[in-house]
Amino acid sequence: MITLAIETSCDETSAAVLDDDKVKSNIISSQLFHSKYGGVVPEVASREHLNKIIEISEEALKRASVSLSSIELISATSEPGLIGALLVGLNFGKSLAMSLDIPFVPVNHIQAHLYSNFLGAQKAHFPFIGLIVSGGHTLLILVDDFFKHKILGSTIDDAAGEAFDKVAKLLGLGYPGGPLIDKHSMHGDKHFHKFPVANVKENEFDFSFSGIKTSVLYYLKKINFENHKDEKLINDISASFQQAMIQSLFDRTLAAAQQYEVRDISLSGGVSANKELQRRFNSLTEQGYNVYFPEPEYSTDNAAMIGLTGYYKFKNSKDKKKYFSETLKQNAKARLDYENF
Ligand code: KG4
Ligand code: ZN
């Protein structure tokens, strides 16, 4: 089954073509210009998606050597995300599905991150513990089967990626900050300073990252960072902050795997690309765990993971009719009748 998938939930315009669960193309256009504002500007993001969506989709079809008429399924991110940005991809996907008279599957972006590991050669076995660490979300999930999961914990304030981005800003690094902290940490001392990470009393699997950001801020003021900053200091603070973040993610994930007696652990989302985090989690293989990460191309936002999740959703659905454009058409007809009136 040939799928065209669309992702426009934040600052990546992406389109992918899949043949069942195999990726034939995955085109990602990142809106790098947001870095000059220190974060994503929603209105500008939506407008750029509008500029790019057709050309990126055409490119994905061309690279996959697939014609418009060969597409059998369309999926697009429907939630969560920036509403204006989401609407561009969602409406484009729905309209194209209607015009081609093929089914349309809306896809939850977080679920797509969760299944992004299944795009690789090594797939986690059910049940597994999923840790989703992105710019907007931090979730610890027990996954029993496709679309059968229980959320064990989540962040009560900032997401992990958000904490990386905010601390990078405090250190005067660019946006997105995660990859830059990752890079600086490679040359820094992770034991240089101990930044505390809060425990959440109500639920041992919840995360809280706003405190660590504040403690970095106070620490920078205390040492008069602005007047003393040099490459070594930036590297050491980056490595120490990163160490605290990884420790918090690692402890809860391992505790969840132990409590639910699960041997497979799957990490996904932008922060899962972090080199030290990968090294730390990979050390669990010595204790008999199987640890999975998405391929680098699939760790940050991409349409391939949307296409894969849409395909699984369609394949596993008992009521496939709900994805067919018939309902959409009826709605559109009602609207047209009204307009004609
Ligand atoms: O999954 P993603 O592309 O978008 C969301 O759905 O949010 O994640 C983006 C986040 C950003 O906060 C970025 O700083 C972080 O992932 N990130 C990293 C690394 N690469 C991306 N954080 C730490 N280390 C990295 N290597
Ligand atoms: Zn994402």
Side-chain angles (χ1 to χ4, degrees), residues 109 113 134-136 161-162 164-165 176-179 182 269-271 273-274 299-301:
H109 183 87
H113 271 303
S134 72
E162 200 178 348
F164 271 90
D165 293 338
D182 190 352
V271 181
N274 186 279
S299 66
T300 46
D301 292 347

PDB file of all heavy atoms in Angstrom, residues 109 113 134-136 161-162 164-165 176-179 182 269-271 273-274 299-301, ligand 1:
ATOM      1  N   HIS A 109       1.026  13.061  16.630  1.00  0.00           N
ATOM      2  CA  HIS A 109       2.469  13.264  16.480  1.00  0.00           C
ATOM      3  C   HIS A 109       3.289  12.486  17.526  1.00  0.00           C
ATOM      4  O   HIS A 109       4.349  11.937  17.224  1.00  0.00           O
ATOM      5  CB  HIS A 109       2.731  14.774  16.603  1.00  0.00           C
ATOM      6  CG  HIS A 109       4.142  15.184  16.397  1.00  0.00           C
ATOM      7  ND1 HIS A 109       4.662  15.448  15.156  1.00  0.00           N
ATOM      8  CD2 HIS A 109       5.151  15.375  17.274  1.00  0.00           C
ATOM      9  CE1 HIS A 109       5.930  15.796  15.287  1.00  0.00           C
ATOM     10  NE2 HIS A 109       6.256  15.760  16.559  1.00  0.00           N
ATOM     11  N   HIS A 113       6.133   9.558  17.055  1.00  0.00           N
ATOM     12  CA  HIS A 113       7.490   9.484  17.627  1.00  0.00           C
ATOM     13  C   HIS A 113       7.697   8.101  18.261  1.00  0.00           C
ATOM     14  O   HIS A 113       8.736   7.482  18.123  1.00  0.00           O
ATOM     15  CB  HIS A 113       7.698  10.564  18.690  1.00  0.00           C
ATOM     16  CG  HIS A 113       8.208  11.865  18.140  1.00  0.00           C
ATOM     17  ND1 HIS A 113       9.372  11.961  17.418  1.00  0.00           N
ATOM     18  CD2 HIS A 113       7.721  13.130  18.223  1.00  0.00           C
ATOM     19  CE1 HIS A 113       9.574  13.219  17.067  1.00  0.00           C
ATOM     20  NE2 HIS A 113       8.586  13.961  17.541  1.00  0.00           N
ATOM     21  N   SER A 134      10.937  14.963  23.451  1.00  0.00           N
ATOM     22  CA  SER A 134      11.001  15.913  22.336  1.00  0.00           C
ATOM     23  C   SER A 134      10.986  17.332  22.877  1.00  0.00           C
ATOM     24  O   SER A 134      11.104  17.553  24.082  1.00  0.00           O
ATOM     25  CB  SER A 134       9.832  15.659  21.384  1.00  0.00           C
ATOM     26  OG  SER A 134       8.644  16.096  21.984  1.00  0.00           O
ATOM     27  N   GLY A 135      10.820  18.295  21.954  1.00  0.00           N
ATOM     28  CA  GLY A 135      10.815  19.690  22.378  1.00  0.00           C
ATOM     29  C   GLY A 135       9.548  20.067  23.122  1.00  0.00           C
ATOM     30  O   GLY A 135       9.540  20.978  23.940  1.00  0.00           O
ATOM     31  N   GLY A 136       8.472  19.347  22.850  1.00  0.00           N
ATOM     32  CA  GLY A 136       7.197  19.692  23.478  1.00  0.00           C
ATOM     33  C   GLY A 136       6.703  18.664  24.478  1.00  0.00           C
ATOM     34  O   GLY A 136       5.765  18.934  25.235  1.00  0.00           O
ATOM     35  N   GLY A 161      13.357  18.528  25.905  1.00  0.00           N
ATOM     36  CA  GLY A 161      13.966  19.336  24.840  1.00  0.00           C
ATOM     37  C   GLY A 161      13.878  20.824  25.144  1.00  0.00           C
ATOM     38  O   GLY A 161      14.792  21.592  24.852  1.00  0.00           O
ATOM     39  N   GLU A 162      12.745  21.198  25.761  1.00  0.00           N
ATOM     40  CA  GLU A 162      12.536  22.601  26.140  1.00  0.00           C
ATOM     41  C   GLU A 162      13.610  23.037  27.149  1.00  0.00           C
ATOM     42  O   GLU A 162      14.148  24.138  27.058  1.00  0.00           O
ATOM     43  CB  GLU A 162      11.149  22.679  26.779  1.00  0.00           C
ATOM     44  CG  GLU A 162      10.523  24.016  26.825  1.00  0.00           C
ATOM     45  CD  GLU A 162       9.121  23.917  27.441  1.00  0.00           C
ATOM     46  OE1 GLU A 162       8.578  22.788  27.611  1.00  0.00           O
ATOM     47  OE2 GLU A 162       8.586  24.981  27.778  1.00  0.00           O
ATOM     48  N   PHE A 164      16.617  21.733  27.485  1.00  0.00           N
ATOM     49  CA  PHE A 164      17.881  21.871  26.726  1.00  0.00           C
ATOM     50  C   PHE A 164      17.910  23.226  26.007  1.00  0.00           C
ATOM     51  O   PHE A 164      18.913  23.932  26.026  1.00  0.00           O
ATOM     52  CB  PHE A 164      18.029  20.735  25.700  1.00  0.00           C
ATOM     53  CG  PHE A 164      18.714  19.507  26.233  1.00  0.00           C
ATOM     54  CD1 PHE A 164      17.985  18.478  26.815  1.00  0.00           C
ATOM     55  CD2 PHE A 164      20.094  19.368  26.155  1.00  0.00           C
ATOM     56  CE1 PHE A 164      18.615  17.333  27.304  1.00  0.00           C
ATOM     57  CE2 PHE A 164      20.739  18.226  26.643  1.00  0.00           C
ATOM     58  CZ  PHE A 164      19.990  17.215  27.216  1.00  0.00           C
ATOM     59  N   ASP A 165      16.791  23.574  25.360  1.00  0.00           N
ATOM     60  CA  ASP A 165      16.746  24.822  24.582  1.00  0.00           C
ATOM     61  C   ASP A 165      16.883  26.049  25.483  1.00  0.00           C
ATOM     62  O   ASP A 165      17.575  27.011  25.139  1.00  0.00           O
ATOM     63  CB  ASP A 165      15.431  24.897  23.776  1.00  0.00           C
ATOM     64  CG  ASP A 165      15.370  23.839  22.692  1.00  0.00           C
ATOM     65  OD1 ASP A 165      16.429  23.339  22.287  1.00  0.00           O
ATOM     66  OD2 ASP A 165      14.252  23.493  22.259  1.00  0.00           O
ATOM     67  N   PRO A 176      17.922  25.386  17.626  1.00  0.00           N
ATOM     68  CA  PRO A 176      17.598  24.659  18.860  1.00  0.00           C
ATOM     69  C   PRO A 176      18.866  24.317  19.656  1.00  0.00           C
ATOM     70  O   PRO A 176      19.904  23.972  19.079  1.00  0.00           O
ATOM     71  CB  PRO A 176      16.896  23.397  18.358  1.00  0.00           C
ATOM     72  CG  PRO A 176      17.376  23.200  16.957  1.00  0.00           C
ATOM     73  CD  PRO A 176      17.722  24.562  16.427  1.00  0.00           C
ATOM     74  N   GLY A 177      18.727  24.393  20.971  1.00  0.00           N
ATOM     75  CA  GLY A 177      19.885  24.280  21.847  1.00  0.00           C
ATOM     76  C   GLY A 177      20.373  22.872  22.111  1.00  0.00           C
ATOM     77  O   GLY A 177      21.556  22.669  22.420  1.00  0.00           O
ATOM     78  N   GLY A 178      19.467  21.884  22.008  1.00  0.00           N
ATOM     79  CA  GLY A 178      19.842  20.497  22.336  1.00  0.00           C
ATOM     80  C   GLY A 178      21.096  20.016  21.637  1.00  0.00           C
ATOM     81  O   GLY A 178      22.061  19.598  22.291  1.00  0.00           O
ATOM     82  N   PRO A 179      21.147  20.098  20.296  1.00  0.00           N
ATOM     83  CA  PRO A 179      22.338  19.607  19.593  1.00  0.00           C
ATOM     84  C   PRO A 179      23.601  20.374  19.989  1.00  0.00           C
ATOM     85  O   PRO A 179      24.698  19.814  19.997  1.00  0.00           O
ATOM     86  CB  PRO A 179      22.004  19.853  18.118  1.00  0.00           C
ATOM     87  CG  PRO A 179      20.527  20.007  18.059  1.00  0.00           C
ATOM     88  CD  PRO A 179      20.085  20.524  19.382  1.00  0.00           C
ATOM     89  N   ASP A 182      24.755  19.182  23.379  1.00  0.00           N
ATOM     90  CA  ASP A 182      25.318  17.856  23.095  1.00  0.00           C
ATOM     91  C   ASP A 182      26.782  18.011  22.645  1.00  0.00           C
ATOM     92  O   ASP A 182      27.702  17.369  23.169  1.00  0.00           O
ATOM     93  CB  ASP A 182      24.464  17.206  21.986  1.00  0.00           C
ATOM     94  CG  ASP A 182      24.789  15.739  21.748  1.00  0.00           C
ATOM     95  OD1 ASP A 182      25.775  15.258  22.318  1.00  0.00           O
ATOM     96  OD2 ASP A 182      24.052  15.087  20.983  1.00  0.00           O
ATOM     97  N   GLY A 269      12.054  10.781  19.774  1.00  0.00           N
ATOM     98  CA  GLY A 269      11.935  12.238  19.914  1.00  0.00           C
ATOM     99  C   GLY A 269      13.304  12.882  19.784  1.00  0.00           C
ATOM    100  O   GLY A 269      14.335  12.206  19.918  1.00  0.00           O
ATOM    101  N   GLY A 270      13.309  14.179  19.537  1.00  0.00           N
ATOM    102  CA  GLY A 270      14.547  14.913  19.243  1.00  0.00           C
ATOM    103  C   GLY A 270      15.678  14.671  20.226  1.00  0.00           C
ATOM    104  O   GLY A 270      16.825  14.477  19.823  1.00  0.00           O
ATOM    105  N   VAL A 271      15.367  14.652  21.530  1.00  0.00           N
ATOM    106  CA  VAL A 271      16.427  14.514  22.541  1.00  0.00           C
ATOM    107  C   VAL A 271      17.079  13.122  22.493  1.00  0.00           C
ATOM    108  O   VAL A 271      18.215  12.946  22.931  1.00  0.00           O
ATOM    109  CB  VAL A 271      15.870  14.837  23.951  1.00  0.00           C
ATOM    110  CG1 VAL A 271      16.939  14.741  25.019  1.00  0.00           C
ATOM    111  CG2 VAL A 271      15.243  16.224  23.974  1.00  0.00           C
ATOM    112  N   ALA A 273      18.397  11.839  20.176  1.00  0.00           N
ATOM    113  CA  ALA A 273      19.588  11.898  19.309  1.00  0.00           C
ATOM    114  C   ALA A 273      20.833  12.228  20.123  1.00  0.00           C
ATOM    115  O   ALA A 273      21.952  12.151  19.610  1.00  0.00           O
ATOM    116  CB  ALA A 273      19.390  12.962  18.227  1.00  0.00           C
ATOM    117  N   ASN A 274      20.650  12.599  21.392  1.00  0.00           N
ATOM    118  CA  ASN A 274      21.783  13.020  22.237  1.00  0.00           C
ATOM    119  C   ASN A 274      22.785  11.874  22.440  1.00  0.00           C
ATOM    120  O   ASN A 274      22.420  10.777  22.868  1.00  0.00           O
ATOM    121  CB  ASN A 274      21.241  13.504  23.587  1.00  0.00           C
ATOM    122  CG  ASN A 274      22.322  14.078  24.459  1.00  0.00           C
ATOM    123  OD1 ASN A 274      23.047  13.352  25.112  1.00  0.00           O
ATOM    124  ND2 ASN A 274      22.449  15.387  24.442  1.00  0.00           N
ATOM    125  N   SER A 299      14.700  10.818  14.299  1.00  0.00           N
ATOM    126  CA  SER A 299      14.571  11.194  15.719  1.00  0.00           C
ATOM    127  C   SER A 299      13.885  12.546  15.855  1.00  0.00           C
ATOM    128  O   SER A 299      13.026  12.733  16.705  1.00  0.00           O
ATOM    129  CB  SER A 299      15.928  11.183  16.417  1.00  0.00           C
ATOM    130  OG  SER A 299      16.749  12.189  15.896  1.00  0.00           O
ATOM    131  N   THR A 300      14.222  13.509  14.992  1.00  0.00           N
ATOM    132  CA  THR A 300      13.496  14.789  15.035  1.00  0.00           C
ATOM    133  C   THR A 300      12.310  14.686  14.065  1.00  0.00           C
ATOM    134  O   THR A 300      12.106  13.648  13.431  1.00  0.00           O
ATOM    135  CB  THR A 300      14.431  15.965  14.665  1.00  0.00           C
ATOM    136  OG1 THR A 300      15.166  15.607  13.521  1.00  0.00           O
ATOM    137  CG2 THR A 300      15.408  16.264  15.788  1.00  0.00           C
ATOM    138  N   ASP A 301      11.539  15.774  13.966  1.00  0.00           N
ATOM    139  CA  ASP A 301      10.270  15.684  13.232  1.00  0.00           C
ATOM    140  C   ASP A 301      10.438  15.299  11.762  1.00  0.00           C
ATOM    141  O   ASP A 301      11.274  15.858  11.057  1.00  0.00           O
ATOM    142  CB  ASP A 301       9.517  17.013  13.357  1.00  0.00           C
ATOM    143  CG  ASP A 301       9.051  17.232  14.779  1.00  0.00           C
ATOM    144  OD1 ASP A 301       9.103  16.266  15.566  1.00  0.00           O
ATOM    145  OD2 ASP A 301       8.631  18.347  15.097  1.00  0.00           O
TER     146      ASP A 301
HETATM  147  O1  KG4 B   1      11.023  15.735  18.268  1.00  0.00           O
HETATM  148  P1  KG4 B   1      11.457  17.095  17.915  1.00  0.00           P
HETATM  149  O2  KG4 B   1      12.142  17.309  16.600  1.00  0.00           O
HETATM  150  O3  KG4 B   1      10.279  18.110  17.900  1.00  0.00           O
HETATM  151  C1  KG4 B   1       9.182  18.077  18.773  1.00  0.00           C
HETATM  152  O4  KG4 B   1       8.237  17.301  18.497  1.00  0.00           O
HETATM  153  O5  KG4 B   1       9.247  18.826  19.763  1.00  0.00           O
HETATM  154  O6  KG4 B   1      12.399  17.577  19.104  1.00  0.00           O
HETATM  155  C2  KG4 B   1      13.051  18.801  19.082  1.00  0.00           C
HETATM  156  C3  KG4 B   1      13.835  18.936  20.388  1.00  0.00           C
HETATM  157  C4  KG4 B   1      14.453  20.324  20.578  1.00  0.00           C
HETATM  158  O7  KG4 B   1      14.147  20.772  21.873  1.00  0.00           O
HETATM  159  C5  KG4 B   1      15.950  20.041  20.420  1.00  0.00           C
HETATM  160  O8  KG4 B   1      16.755  20.934  21.163  1.00  0.00           O
HETATM  161  C6  KG4 B   1      16.068  18.616  20.929  1.00  0.00           C
HETATM  162  O9  KG4 B   1      14.903  17.977  20.430  1.00  0.00           O
HETATM  163  N1  KG4 B   1      17.262  17.937  20.433  1.00  0.00           N
HETATM  164  C7  KG4 B   1      18.280  17.518  21.232  1.00  0.00           C
HETATM  165  C8  KG4 B   1      19.264  16.952  20.372  1.00  0.00           C
HETATM  166  N2  KG4 B   1      18.802  17.042  19.080  1.00  0.00           N
HETATM  167  C9  KG4 B   1      17.580  17.639  19.141  1.00  0.00           C
HETATM  168  N3  KG4 B   1      18.428  17.573  22.559  1.00  0.00           N
HETATM  169  C10 KG4 B   1      19.572  17.079  23.083  1.00  0.00           C
HETATM  170  N4  KG4 B   1      20.560  16.540  22.338  1.00  0.00           N
HETATM  171  C11 KG4 B   1      20.457  16.455  20.984  1.00  0.00           C
HETATM  172  N5  KG4 B   1      21.435  15.925  20.259  1.00  0.00           N
END
